Amino acid sequence: GAQIIDLMMLVIDVTKGMQTQSAECLVIGQIACQKMVVVLNKIDLLPEGKRQSAIEKMTKKMQKTLENTKFCGCPIVAVAAKPGGPEAPETENPLGVSELIEVLKSQAYLPSRDPSGHFLMAVDHCFSIKGQGTVMTGTLLSGSVSLGDNVEIPALKVTKKVKSMQMFHTPVTYAMQGDRVGICVTQFDPKLLERGLICTPESLHTIHAAIISLKKIQYFRGALQTKAKFHITVGHETVMGRVMFFSPAPANFNDEIQENVFDFEKDYLYQEEYLSKDSNSSEENKENDQTGGVQLPRQQWALLEFEKPVTCPKLCLVIGSKLDTDIHANTCRLAFHGVLLQGMEDKNYMETFLPKLKVYKLKHKEGQVERVMDDYSVIGRSLFKKETNIQIFVGLKVKLSTGEDGIIDGGFGQSGKFKIRIPDGLKPDTKMLLAVVSKKKSKAGKGDTTKEDESSKNDSAQPITISLLFKRYVFDTQKKMIQS
């Protein structure tokens, strides 16, 4: 319903000010609407002597609230729609409503409308008229419709012919984007559709999952975490969906924002949560980031997996919320909003579609050098578990903490140890360090820990560590390890 608003009125109880629901309306307005008028209602409840100053105070407060929104500087009008409340006699005249009408007239504008493209209409009522048929009323979101056209109700996979149309009680033969219209069809049970979409036959698709580009709503408290479930609102439907967040590879954090398209050729970095100023940046990002501040990508995406299929157009607005939050808690339930870039129609999208999505995780394993074999090879330990098949790691590159590059050559013995080949040979310093380590080991083995040994223990260097870094694509069925 929020996708059809060109101008909104935010009605505030002047005695209470901004409530949780008002704030949520404001958030939806910022996502889905360009212009707003604020109405301070119930001014009849303010004592006459203090009324003007109370209105001015609330007006200032609202201006401050709207300062950092797209509605900064919008008109604020004070009214009492029904002085005395619902019980008051009908003779009571409203206060300020004629001024409000003037403001609405001054704010009204003709949005640009385009009749081209597929017909798509958001239906908000469906009822039968005896002797006529079933009427669906709603707003045209795109395209146009004429008498005699076939229209599809995609959720029910039913196609019907337009028998007659009305706009504001006037029969018409044609309607286009932006129009409010009632469309009459025959032989259709109105109980089957309360609200939903109707469209040009075959133009809308039912999807099981989607890729969206998204932004977090700043008023939502808490992190947006991968694998979390949200209420996903798409058009008139709200379904549960699970999310997985991802961002560009760190080298591309500053790339230009790609509007309305998604590039399957690129690599993307898996995120445990949506990255924002208040998110706990991962250890890895802290390492990559020399400035001390968290570097954020200009654009982020999510994979949405719906609990039940959704019928919607491409590039439609998506809102993610936590609607199970207590309505009386003073907290925003709306978590993120975005644009649907790519839907997945195949029920088996896990097998057919997701492998095309190149989202990777960075893996980092650490072990230690056990001892030197010769100038060009060492034995390592603690990188793998005893039961790990080391064969699958053969040929991967590793780095020693002393700077040498090595290649895993194969297993060594039965306890998860392994051999590393050092193509450029060990540095003399490294060999000395390893000699010290192994000497200490043999001394410790004798069990005569004298004072002298204690002191040499403290002087001696740390063991030499082995780092193994690789990428693994989340949806790669073979779980291949990739190194740049």
Side-chain angles (χ1 to χ4, degrees):
Q3 301 188 55
I4 61 172
I5 303 167
D6 296 309
L7 168 64
M8 71 182 267
M9 282 197 301
L10 184 66
V11 182
I12 304 284
D13 180 334
V14 75
T15 64
K16 291 180 181 165
M18 200 78 163
Q19 301 289 294
T20 306
Q21 287 99 318
S22 334
E24 287 185 351
C25 290
L26 179 58
V27 169
I28 293 170
Q30 285 213 83
I31 296 166
C33 185
Q34 296 309 316
K35 293 186 85 171
M36 180 172 83
V37 173
V38 174
V39 181
L40 302 177
N41 192 24
K42 304 192 182 180
I43 58 170
D44 57 309
L45 298 180
L46 301 168
E48 274 195 45
K50 297 180 183 165
R51 187 173 293 174
Q52 205 42 47
S53 67
I55 290 171
E56 280 166 21
K57 198 171 164 189
M58 188 55 79
T59 303
K60 279 209 175 83
K61 208 169 175 181
M62 286 306 300
Q63 282 165 340
K64 185 100 183 88
T65 302
L66 299 174
E67 221 168 44
N68 298 320
T69 72
K70 66 156 83 159
F71 304 123
C72 176
C74 78
I76 299 175
V77 187
V79 307
K82 188 141 198 251
E87 319 300 295
E90 289 303 318
T91 49
E92 281 288 342
N93 285 326
L95 302 174
V97 169
S98 50
E99 287 87 336
L100 174 59
I101 290 169
E102 289 310 312
V103 169
L104 288 175
K105 279 188 193 164
S106 73
Q107 294 295 307
Y109 63 103
L110 271 179
S112 59
R113 303 295 193 202
D114 177 10
S116 68
H118 289 306
F119 159 69
L120 177 66
M121 173 169 154
V123 173
D124 40 48
H125 288 94
C126 188
F127 52 90
S128 63
I129 296 180
K130 216 174 165 120
Q132 297 279 321
T134 296
V135 175
M136 297 179 272
T137 63
T139 302
L140 260 77
L141 299 179
S142 72
S144 63
V145 61
S146 301
L147 273 187
D149 283 357
N150 280 329
V151 298
E152 185 190 7
I153 303 154
L156 306 170
K157 304 274 183 282
V158 170
T159 300
K160 291 282 167 199
K161 197 180 215 117
V162 177
K163 187 184 163 202
S164 64
M165 295 198 293
Q166 278 194 4
M167 264 195 242
F168 299 103
H169 307 295
T170 309
V172 290
T173 57
Y174 170 85
M176 65 177 271
Q177 183 187 49
D179 286 336
R180 286 286 301 172
V181 64
I183 288 180
C184 185
V185 299
T186 53
Q187 271 114 43
F188 177 66
D189 178 359
K191 288 194 186 75
L192 295 175
L193 183 76
E194 183 191 0
R195 28 168 62 185
L197 296 167
I198 59 173
C199 61
T200 302
E202 307 277 299
S203 66
L204 273 200
H205 303 291
T206 300
I207 59 174
H208 297 267
I211 291 168
I212 65 166
S213 73
L214 78 155
K215 282 193 160 57
K216 181 179 178 180
I217 288 166
Q218 65 190 74
Y219 309 105
F220 182 77
R221 291 190 201 142
L224 304 182
Q225 287 176 323
T226 283
K227 298 201 173 98
K229 283 185 178 178
F230 289 90
H231 291 88
I232 307 293
T233 303
V234 182
H236 272 319
E237 287 190 81
T238 297
V239 300
M240 291 304 287
R242 192 183 290 282
V243 292
M244 181 195 89
F245 297 104
F246 56 97
S247 64
N252 307 333
F253 266 23
N254 289 322
D255 281 10
E256 283 303 305
I257 288 178
Q258 294 287 305
E259 297 276 0
N260 302 344
V261 288
F262 183 78
D263 188 348
F264 281 94
E265 296 308 308
K266 287 189 175 165
D267 273 18
Y268 298 95
L269 178 62
Y270 171 92
Q271 298 292 357
E272 287 292 349
E273 60 178 75
Y274 178 90
L275 297 179
S276 60
K277 285 192 185 72
D278 48 1
S279 62
N280 307 319
S281 68
S282 64
E283 289 307 313
E284 213 167 288
N285 286 359
K286 282 180 187 154
E287 282 169 30
N288 298 341
D289 180 42
Q290 275 80 47
T291 57
V294 183
Q295 200 205 355
L296 296 175
R298 291 176 68 171
Q299 190 170 14
Q300 292 178 67
W301 297 269
L303 168 69
L304 286 184
E305 299 184 77
F306 301 113
E307 285 193 355
K308 65 180 221 288
V310 170
T311 303
C312 61
K314 214 174 162 179
L315 302 182
C316 67
L317 171 66
V318 176
I319 298 177
S321 329
K322 287 274 189 194
L323 298 179
D324 39 9
T325 313
D326 176 14
I327 183 71
H328 302 296
N330 183 18
T331 175
C332 178
R333 298 174 300 161
L334 304 160
F336 60 83
H337 67 97
V339 175
L340 195 141
L341 301 177
Q342 180 78 47
M344 298 171 212
E345 292 172 57
D346 189 343
K347 209 174 182 162
N348 304 318
Y349 66 90
M350 292 271 200
E351 289 84 54
T352 57
F353 197 99
L354 289 186
K356 295 183 211 161
L357 180 58
K358 300 200 287 193
V359 175
Y360 67 87
K361 288 182 179 183
L362 279 177
K363 299 283 190 179
H364 183 197
K365 287 176 167 293
E366 277 213 345
Q368 291 178 352
V369 175
E370 168 95 1
R371 61 187 170 84
V372 179
M373 271 186 88
D374 55 47
D375 287 354
Y376 291 94
S377 52
V378 297
I379 301 296
R381 61 181 166 85
S382 314
L383 193 63
F384 306 114
K385 293 194 178 87
K386 198 168 157 181
E387 60 275 12
T388 304
N389 173 12
I390 293 175
Q391 253 349 83
I392 56 178
F393 291 90
V394 167
L396 289 184
K397 294 180 272 192
V398 294
K399 202 170 185 73
L400 303 191
S401 54
T402 44
E404 289 92 340
D405 290 316
I407 292 161
I408 295 176
D409 229 6
F412 183 81
Q414 299 302 309
S415 60
K417 290 180 184 173
F418 53 98
K419 189 175 163 189
I420 296 174
R421 186 162 46 90
I422 314 280
D424 299 337
L426 288 167
K427 297 181 197 162
D429 297 0
T430 309
K431 283 196 287 193
M432 276 173 66
L433 267 173
L434 285 166
V436 171
V437 172
S438 52
K439 208 151 112 197
K440 265 174 57 191
K441 274 211 172 126
S442 59
K443 265 193 180 169
K446 290 176 193 161
D448 54 348
T449 332
T450 60
K451 285 272 186 286
E452 207 176 325
D453 287 345
E454 286 290 331
S455 63
S456 73
K457 205 183 218 166
N458 297 341
D459 296 345
S460 88
Q462 291 290 312
I464 294 173
T465 56
I466 304 163
S467 278
L468 169 63
L469 281 168
F470 59 89
K471 275 165 49 165
R472 188 180 269 157
Y473 289 101
V474 178
F475 302 113
D476 174 15
T477 44
Q478 289 154 354
K479 300 212 178 310
K480 285 203 287 277
M481 290 171 283
I482 291 150
Q483 291 183 315
S484 53

